[in-house]
Amino acid sequence: MVRNTAREIAIHLSYELSFTDKTVDQLLDQRLTAASFAELAEEDDIYRDVPNAKQADYIRRLVRGVREHGAELDGYISKYAKGWKFSRIPLVASAIMRVAMYEVMYMPDIPNAAAINEAVEIAKKYETPETVKFINGILGSFSRQELSE
């Protein structure tokens, strides 16, 4: 499994956190199992390979970080979503942006451009072209404004 696949899985799990009663650790413990991956692989090829320990740690770190810093990340999304109320942003789009912003802010081992570019590429798989442009614009503005200060 390559990092962009692990990132996409983290986005799926961050999205799922938006509508589950489970704690982040309960969700991670349930989803990061061979049995769960085998079941999900029937629906989505990214679950074909179970993450190794390093990949699982990366996914856990991302999803826990997104949960822990959710209000802060949502604040940045709202700040740069000119003319949009946060409630209008699709849940998948907000999960994608949260993961990218968390990587940029809290994972210095991940190049900022890689986090943002991968987020946009993943968005192309799940969102309309207009929403992809929206995500790209927010992440670009966030990167230029917040990282240059």
Side-chain angles (χ1 to χ4, degrees), residues 24-89:
V24 67
D25 287 322
Q26 288 171 332
L27 179 67
L28 289 166
D29 291 345
Q30 179 185 13
R31 293 286 183 232
L32 294 178
T33 65
S36 180
F37 269 67
E39 183 180 314
L40 292 169
E42 296 173 18
E43 298 173 31
D44 194 329
D45 201 40
I46 69 165
Y47 293 97
R48 181 182 67 238
D49 299 321
V50 178
N52 64 30
K54 183 178 178 182
Q55 295 157 342
D57 287 344
Y58 170 73
I59 292 168
R60 286 178 182 278
R61 185 174 165 204
L62 265 178
V63 176
R64 283 182 182 132
V66 165
R67 172 59 114 203
E68 182 180 334
H69 295 276
E72 174 189 17
L73 301 170
D74 290 353
Y76 285 119
I77 293 169
S78 294
K79 179 178 178 178
Y80 294 106
K82 306 282 189 227
W84 281 65
K85 289 188 177 191
F86 189 84
S87 60
R88 284 188 52 214
I89 299 171

Side-chain angles (χ1 to χ4, degrees), residues 113-133:
I116 292 170
N117 290 340
E118 285 296 326
V120 171
E121 289 305 310
I122 291 168
K124 289 177 183 177
K125 211 173 145 179
Y126 299 100
E127 295 292 352
T128 64
E130 294 79 22
T131 303
V132 172
K133 285 183 194 174

Side-chain angles (χ1 to χ4, degrees), residues 1-9 11 58 118 121-122:
M1 173 183 297
V2 292
R3 180 163 278 181
N4 62 338
T5 301
R7 183 180 282 115
E8 189 171 348
I9 291 167
I11 288 168
Y58 170 73
E118 285 296 326
E121 289 305 310
I122 291 168

